[in-house]
Amino acid sequence: MLFDDPKIYTAARDAKLGITSLSPTLDQLRVSISEHYSISVLHIVYDRIDIGPHAERPRLNIIVDTAADFDVLHKDQFTPKRNVQDTIRRRFAKLVRQNLADYDTDNVHIVFDDFSAEAMGHAAQQFRDAHSDGVVQAFRDANVWTVTGIGMHSIVFYLRDSDISANDKNGRSQSLIKLCFDLAQAYDEFGYFTLSTFPIAFDSKQRFDTEYKGSWFYYFR
């Protein structure tokens, strides 16, 4: 949901900055989940599914601070732990009863979002928009063609496949990573990026042209 709704991202960002706007019931639920699972829940959104076969089903979007928090609640990247969802449903229903709050608790759909992933995506996009051409110029002798990406993940394209291995061996790729990391930090307002895990990869225009027919649509789909 964070990726589709700027208002939700803004509310989660405000929460990260300490500006809270939750109802008493949702804030109690936020604290309860944080303490029970030893994680940081930044924000909770209550709404209803608006389309599809489950339209009008009530939904809670639990927005956590980091990928580590997100992992606690999931079996894998795409599968929340069912026992966690069931526990949150019960706690939510109990708090609604205690507070006489106006929330529908019947069969609530529980989803989770990782705020850090979206925040890093915003920072990486700003970095690419502002500095891609400069990085190309700085590493023209290494045959850098362009710097692009999607979300938090940036991709440096060399001209040829052979440039990838050559620049890995001669250290130019490591220098390039360090430069991109340093530039991206200026937009990383919450300090989520680290050099050791900076999400950047290498590819070539040669492969882009031959395997994807020079189409960004095919490349990123």
Side-chain angles (χ1 to χ4, degrees), residues 96-201:
V96 168
R97 291 194 301 271
Q98 289 176 344
N99 295 338
L100 302 177
D102 187 22
Y103 293 105
D104 183 358
T105 63
D106 184 31
N107 194 28
V108 177
H109 183 50
I110 308 290
V111 296
F112 304 100
D113 263 318
D114 170 13
F115 175 74
S116 69
E118 184 71 353
M120 286 189 285
H122 280 236
Q125 188 61 59
Q126 289 176 285
F127 147 68
R128 292 190 296 264
D129 289 344
H131 300 288
S132 290
D133 291 345
V135 172
V136 171
Q137 290 297 325
F139 285 85
R140 185 166 296 279
D141 61 341
N143 292 328
V144 174
W145 172 55
T146 191
V147 181
T148 185
I150 187 168
M152 75 173 81
H153 299 280
S154 297
I155 306 170
V156 175
F157 281 81
Y158 291 117
L159 288 176
R160 299 177 297 271
D161 289 349
S162 59
D163 294 323
I164 300 175
S165 57
N167 286 300
D168 181 57
K169 291 177 181 177
N170 66 27
R172 297 293 277 163
S173 288
Q174 286 303 312
S175 297
L176 201 155
I177 291 172
K178 179 63 165 59
L179 174 62
C180 291
F181 170 75
D182 289 343
L183 293 170
Q185 278 189 300
Y187 307 97
D188 181 17
E189 62 178 327
F190 300 113
Y192 287 122
F193 284 136
T194 65
L195 180 58
S196 62
T197 61
F198 187 60
I200 191 167

Side-chain angles (χ1 to χ4, degrees), residues 40-122:
S40 175
V41 177
L42 295 179
H43 191 62
I44 298 177
V45 177
Y46 172 88
D47 62 4
R48 292 181 182 274
I49 298 172
D50 55 0
I51 58 173
H54 301 290
E56 294 303 311
R57 180 182 177 184
R59 172 173 56 192
L60 283 173
N61 183 14
I62 314 297
I63 302 170
V64 299
D65 189 7
T66 68
D69 296 330
F70 187 82
D71 289 345
V72 168
L73 307 172
H74 285 74
K75 293 195 298 183
D76 56 49
Q77 182 180 359
F78 303 104
T79 312
K81 294 177 180 176
R82 180 163 300 196
N83 64 317
V84 171
Q85 292 174 308
D86 290 342
T87 298
I88 291 173
R89 284 191 191 95
R90 290 194 297 270
R91 288 179 179 234
F92 179 53
K94 181 178 179 180
L95 287 169
V96 168
R97 291 194 301 271
Q98 289 176 344
N99 295 338
L100 302 177
D102 187 22
Y103 293 105
D104 183 358
T105 63
D106 184 31
N107 194 28
V108 177
H109 183 50
I110 308 290
V111 296
F112 304 100
D113 263 318
D114 170 13
F115 175 74
S116 69
E118 184 71 353
M120 286 189 285
H122 280 236

